[in-house]
C-alpha cells in the first residue's frame, strides 16, 4: 500500500516543464557531448598514428598500429570508463550527486589536454602517454554516466522524465558529429597548407611532419565543451531526492527546490523520518530484499546494456574498416596521410548526420508516448534484421553497384540502435532503483555496457580481419572476416530482444512508485500487494 508522497518530491513530479529543466539538460548534456567526442575521436586518428609512428621503409602498405598497440589505444579509455562508472556511481550515493559531479568534469578537462601531449618522440613514448591519459579520461567519463542520468531523473517531472533523460544522452550524437566535423576542418586546413603525394607515389613523403599536430588538435579539442560547463555544474543545487531520502535533510531539500520551482514547500521533516525508517527504505545492495525486489531488474539492465554495446561500439569504432572493405574509402596506398583522415572523418560524419543523431532525437520524441520497453524491443529487433540483411548476402553489397545501398542499410542499424536500446539502456536504470542505490545501480548497469564495448572493440578488431592471411593488416592473425563478424553481431542483438523482457516499464510513474520507496511497511503488505507487482517486467 503506497503512502502519501513527500510534498517536495510531489512538487517535482507534477511540475510543468520550465527553464530549469532545459538548463539541467544542457549542463548534463554537455558532459555527454564531451564523453562521445573523446571516446569516438580515437577511431578517426588510429590510421594516422600508424602512418606516423609505425612506418616501415619499403613496405607496400602504410604503417599501421601493431595489434597490441591498436587494442590499447582503442580500448584503454573503455576500461577507464568501466572503472569510473563503478567508482563514481558508488560515490554519488555516498557523497551526493553534486559533490562528485565536478570531480568528473575536472578529470575530463585535464586528461583531454593531456592526451595530446607526449613524453618523448618515440612511438613507445607517445603511445604510452596517450594510453595513460585516455585511461583517466575514460575514468572521468565513466562517472558522468550514472551522475548525469541520476541528476536528470531526480530533477524531472514524471510526465516527461524519459524525454529529459534521453535528451541528455542524445547529446552523444552531437559529440560524435562534432568530432567528425573537427577532423574534417583540421585535415582540410593541413592538406591545403602542406601538400603531399599519395603513399603509392612517395611512401615517406605521403606523411608530412606537420601531420603529427592533426591528431593532437583533434583529441585536445574535447576539453573545450567540458570547460565551458564547469561553472554551471557547480551552481546546480543537490537533487531534492538525494537531500531528502538519502541525506535525510527535508528542510534543505525544501529550500533548494523552493528556489528552483518558485513555490513555498513544507519540509515535512517528521514525515520524512518516519518514511526513511520503513523496511522498504533500509535494505542494502547486497541484501536478500534487494535481490527479491530488484534482482531481475538489475539483471535486465546489465545484460541488455552489455549486449547492446558489443554491437554498438564495434560498429562505431571500426566503421572505417567496414567502409574500406566495401570500397567506400579508397585504399590507403592511394591517399596521403592527411587525406585519409579526411575520408574517414567524412564517412563517420555522414553516418552521424543521417542516422545517429536522428535516432537519438526520435527516442526523445517518443519515449514518453510509446514507452521504454517498446522502443528497446523494437530497436533490438531491427538491429538484428539489418545485421543479418547485411551479412548474409555480404558479397552482393561489396559490388560497386550496391555500395550506396550497403551504407544506407548500415546507417539504419545505427538509427535503430539510437532509436532503441542505446538510449533506453541509459534511461531505465536511473528510474527503477531506490534513491540511496540509484547512482550505484546505474553505474553497475553502465559498467556492464562498457564490458560489452570492450568485448566488441577488442573482439571485432581481430574478428573482422580477412580469413586470407595475405589480406590481413600487418601483425594480425586471420579472423572470420567482416561478413561473419556481422552475423555474430546479429546474434548478439537477438539475445538483446530476449533479455529486454526483464526490464520494467517506468512510463508515467514517479521514481518512488518504481522503487517502492513510498510503500508502507513492506513486510506487512508483501503477501497482498508487493510493490514489484506494480512494476511488472513485461508491460501488459
Amino acid at each position: 500500500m503506497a503512502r502519501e508522497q513527500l510534498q517536495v518530491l510531489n512538487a517535482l513530479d507534477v511540475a510543468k516543464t520550465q527553464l530549469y529543466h532545459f538548463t539541467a539538460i544542457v549542463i548534463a548534456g554537455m558532459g555527454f557531448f564531451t564523453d562521445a567526442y573523446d571516446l569516438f575521436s580515437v577511431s578517426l586518428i588510429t590510421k594516422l598514428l600508424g602512418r606516423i609512428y609505425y612506418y616501415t621503409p619499403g613496405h607496400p602498405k602504410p604503417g599501421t598500429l601493431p595489434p597490441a598497440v591498436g587494442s590499447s589505444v582503442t580500448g584503454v579509455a573503455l576500461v577507464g570508463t568501466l572503472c569510473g562508472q563503478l567508482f563514481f556511481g558508488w560515490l554519488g550515493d555516498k557523497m551526493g550527486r553534486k559533490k562528485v559531479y565536478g570531480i568528473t568534469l575536472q578529470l575530463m578537462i585535464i586528461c583531454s589536454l593531456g592526451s595530446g601531449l607526449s613524453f618523448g618522440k618515440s612511438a613507445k613514448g607517445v603511445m604510452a602517454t596517450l594510453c595513460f591519459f585516455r585511461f583517466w579520461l575514460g575514468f572521468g567519463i565513466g562517472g558522468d554516466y550514472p551522475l548525469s542520468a541520476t541528476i536528470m531523473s531526480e530533477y524531472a517531472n514524471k510526465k516527461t522524465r524519459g524525454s529529459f533523460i534521453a535528451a541528455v544522452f542524445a547529446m552523444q550524437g552531437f559529440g560524435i558529429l562534432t568530432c567528425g566535423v573537427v577532423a574534417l576542418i583540421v585535415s582540410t586546413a593541413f592538406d591545403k597548407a602542406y601538400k603531399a603525394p599519395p603513399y603509392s607515389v612517395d611512401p615517406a613523403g605521403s606523411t608530412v611532419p606537420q601531420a603529427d599536430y592533426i591528431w593532437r588538435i583533434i583529441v585536445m579539442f574535447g576539453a573545450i565543451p567540458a570547460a565551458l560547463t564547469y561553472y554551471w555544474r557547480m551552481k546546480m543545487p543537490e537533487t531534492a531526492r538525494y537531500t531528502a531520502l538519502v541525506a535525510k535533510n527535508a528542510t534543505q531539500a525544501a529550500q533548494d527546490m523552493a528556489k528552483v520551482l518558485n513555490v513555498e514547500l513544507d519540509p515535512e521533516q517528521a514525515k520524512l523520518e518516519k518514511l526513511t525508517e520503513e523496511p522498504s527504505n533500509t535494505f542494502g545492495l547486497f541484501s536478500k530484499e534487494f535481490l527479491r525486489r530488484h534482482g531481475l531488474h538489475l539483471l535486465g539492465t546489465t545484460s541488455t546494456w552489455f549486449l547492446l554495446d558489443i554491437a554498438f561500439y564495434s560498429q562505431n569504432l571500426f566503421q572505417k574498416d567496414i567502409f574500406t572493405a566495401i570500397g567506400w574509402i579508397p585504399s590507403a596506398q592511394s591517399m596521403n596521410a592527411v587525406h585519409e583522415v579526411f575520408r574517414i572523418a567524412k564517412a563517420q560524419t555522414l553516418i552521424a548526420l543521417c542516422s545517429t543523431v536522428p535516432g537519438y532525437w526520435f527516442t526523445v520524441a517518443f519515449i514518453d508516448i510509446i514507452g521504454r520497453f517498446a522502443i528497446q524491443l523494437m530497436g533490438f529487433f531491427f538491429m538484428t534484421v539489418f545485421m543479418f540483411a547485411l551479412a548474409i548476402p555480404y558479397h552482393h553489397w561489396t559490388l560497386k553497384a550496391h555500395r550506396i545501398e550497403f551504407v544506407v542499410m548500415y546507417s539504419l542499424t545505427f538509427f535503430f540502435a539510437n532509436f532503441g536500446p542505446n538510449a533506453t539502456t541509459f534511461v531505465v536504470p536511473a528510474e527503477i532503483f531506490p534513491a540511496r542505490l540509484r547512482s550505484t545501480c546505474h553505474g553497475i548497469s553502465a559498467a556492464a555496457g562498457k564490458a560489452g564495448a570492450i568485448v566488441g572493440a577488442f573482439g571485432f578488431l581481430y574478428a573482422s580481419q580477412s580469413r586470407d592471411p595475405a589480406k590481413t593488416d600487418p601483425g594480425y592473425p586471420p579472423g572470420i572476416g567482416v561478413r561473419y563478424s556481422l552475423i555474430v553481431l546479429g546474434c548478439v542483438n537477438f539475445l538483446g530482444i530476449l533479455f529486454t523482457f526483464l526490464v520494467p516499464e517506468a512510463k508515467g510513474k514517479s521514481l518512488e512508485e518504481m522503487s517502492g520507496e513510498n510503500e508502507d511497511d513492506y513486510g506487512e503488505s508483501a503477501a497482498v500487494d508487493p510493490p514489484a507487482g506494480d512494476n511488472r517486467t513485461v508491460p501488459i
Side-chain angles (χ1 to χ4, degrees):
M1 179 177 166
R3 65 167 64 245
E4 187 181 347
Q5 179 78 297
L6 284 173
Q7 187 184 106
V8 64
L9 304 186
N10 185 65
L12 286 167
D13 281 340
V14 301
K16 293 181 179 180
T17 300
Q18 49 194 284
L19 181 61
Y20 84 88
H21 287 122
F22 295 106
T23 303
I25 289 171
V26 172
I27 293 170
M30 285 307 291
F32 266 87
F33 176 98
T34 305
D35 298 348
Y37 183 97
D38 290 330
L39 284 178
F40 292 108
S41 60
V42 71
S43 66
L44 302 173
I45 64 171
T46 50
K47 298 270 190 182
L48 179 61
L49 291 171
R51 283 183 181 250
I52 295 171
Y53 295 105
Y54 294 91
Y55 165 66
T56 303
H59 199 280
K61 291 184 178 181
T64 57
L65 296 179
V69 177
S71 297
S72 298
V73 170
T74 301
V76 72
L78 300 178
V79 175
T81 303
L82 187 154
C83 297
Q85 286 163 336
L86 293 172
F87 177 73
F88 286 116
W90 168 79
L91 202 62
D93 283 333
K94 295 298 179 186
M95 292 178 58
R97 300 21 167 158
K98 179 187 175 180
K99 289 181 180 178
V100 183
Y101 214 24
I103 299 172
T104 62
L105 205 61
Q106 289 172 5
L107 263 177
M108 288 159 60
I109 294 168
I110 293 168
C111 294
S112 289
L113 296 173
S115 296
L117 305 176
S118 302
F119 297 125
K121 296 182 179 179
S122 68
K124 186 177 292 187
V126 172
M127 295 304 130
T129 306
L130 181 61
C131 289
F132 173 81
F133 280 110
R134 281 191 65 77
F135 172 84
W136 290 108
L137 173 64
F139 195 71
I141 288 172
D144 231 45
Y145 276 74
L147 294 170
S148 290
T150 301
I151 286 171
M152 196 65 246
S153 72
E154 293 180 347
Y155 266 111
N157 61 56
K158 63 183 180 181
K159 182 179 180 182
T160 57
R161 185 180 60 241
S163 293
F164 289 158
I165 305 172
V168 169
F169 195 64
M171 294 300 287
Q172 265 201 349
F174 290 122
I176 296 170
L177 181 64
T178 301
C179 72
V181 172
V182 169
L184 285 173
I185 294 170
V186 174
S187 59
T188 299
F190 274 77
D191 193 38
K192 288 184 177 180
Y194 307 101
K195 298 293 183 182
Y199 185 88
S200 58
V201 175
D202 182 359
S206 65
T207 305
V208 295
Q210 293 82 3
D212 192 47
Y213 293 112
I214 293 175
W215 70 268
R216 298 176 191 274
I217 293 170
I218 292 171
V219 297
M220 293 174 78
F221 186 86
I224 296 175
L228 292 175
T229 57
Y230 182 77
Y231 171 79
W232 298 105
R233 278 199 182 191
M234 295 301 94
K235 291 275 288 181
M236 289 180 74
E238 181 59 85
T239 70
R241 284 182 162 89
Y242 180 85
T243 305
L245 299 175
V246 184
K248 301 178 183 179
N249 188 340
T251 303
Q252 186 63 52
Q255 288 176 356
D256 289 342
M257 292 306 104
K259 293 176 184 177
V260 170
L261 299 172
N262 295 315
V263 295
E264 289 294 324
L265 295 169
D266 182 358
E268 301 180 302
Q269 185 67 39
K271 184 177 178 181
L272 172 65
E273 289 173 1
K274 185 177 180 181
L275 175 66
T276 54
E277 289 172 1
E278 293 287 346
S280 59
N281 289 321
T282 56
F283 61 83
L285 179 65
F286 299 105
S287 65
K288 290 182 180 179
E289 188 67 13
F290 178 88
L291 182 64
R292 186 166 76 85
R293 296 182 62 178
H294 297 292
L296 285 178
H297 295 164
L298 188 59
L299 175 62
T301 58
T302 53
S303 59
T304 52
W305 208 336
F306 173 79
L307 294 166
L308 176 275
D309 272 8
I310 291 177
F312 185 76
Y313 274 81
S314 62
Q315 282 178 267
N316 245 317
L317 291 171
F318 301 104
Q319 59 182 279
K320 62 184 185 300
D321 300 304
I322 292 174
F323 290 146
T324 300
I326 66 164
W328 213 48
I329 295 176
S331 65
Q333 299 94 308
S334 66
M335 297 181 286
N336 63 43
V338 178
H339 195 224
E340 186 174 37
V341 174
F342 177 86
R343 294 301 292 262
I344 293 169
K346 181 181 176 182
Q348 178 168 309
T349 303
L350 286 172
I351 292 293
L353 189 62
C354 298
S355 62
T356 306
V357 172
Y360 280 116
W361 291 97
F362 265 71
T363 300
V364 173
F366 292 105
I367 192 168
D368 286 312
I369 298 173
I370 62 178
R372 292 81 164 134
F373 178 86
I375 289 177
Q376 184 161 310
L377 197 68
M378 174 194 68
F380 270 128
F381 172 78
F382 281 110
M383 287 174 71
T384 304
V385 168
F386 286 119
M387 281 292 185
F388 285 131
L390 289 172
I392 295 171
Y394 181 70
H395 176 71
H396 169 82
W397 300 115
T398 61
L399 300 176
K400 192 171 184 178
H402 305 294
R403 286 173 181 171
I404 297 300
E405 289 93 330
F406 178 95
V407 173
V408 171
M409 294 275 282
Y410 185 69
S411 298
L412 285 170
T413 65
F414 276 105
F415 176 82
F416 282 105
N418 295 309
F419 183 32
N422 192 41
T424 55
T425 52
F426 176 80
V427 172
V428 173
E431 299 181 300
I432 63 176
F433 299 108
R436 65 190 180 281
L437 301 171
R438 185 169 293 132
S439 180
T440 301
C441 290
H442 194 285
I444 292 170
S445 302
K450 280 300 169 284
I454 292 167
V455 170
F458 283 90
F460 195 75
L461 185 65
Y462 287 87
S464 62
Q465 295 295 318
S466 173
R467 301 169 76 182
D468 183 353
K471 295 181 179 179
T472 61
D473 291 333
Y476 287 88
I480 60 175
V482 173
R483 177 173 184 257
Y484 289 102
S485 296
L486 291 171
I487 290 175
V488 170
L489 294 178
C491 294
V492 167
N493 291 327
F494 179 75
L495 288 175
I497 295 174
L498 303 181
F499 279 98
T500 294
F501 286 91
L502 296 176
V503 178
E505 178 58 71
K507 183 183 74 169
K509 297 180 180 179
S510 74
L511 297 178
E512 288 67 43
E513 283 181 89
M514 290 304 300
S515 64
E517 287 170 288
N518 62 348
E519 292 292 323
D520 278 320
D521 191 338
Y522 181 61
E524 295 176 3
S525 62
V528 180
D529 187 23
D534 292 335
N535 307 326
R536 56 174 66 89
T537 296
V538 184
I540 296 174

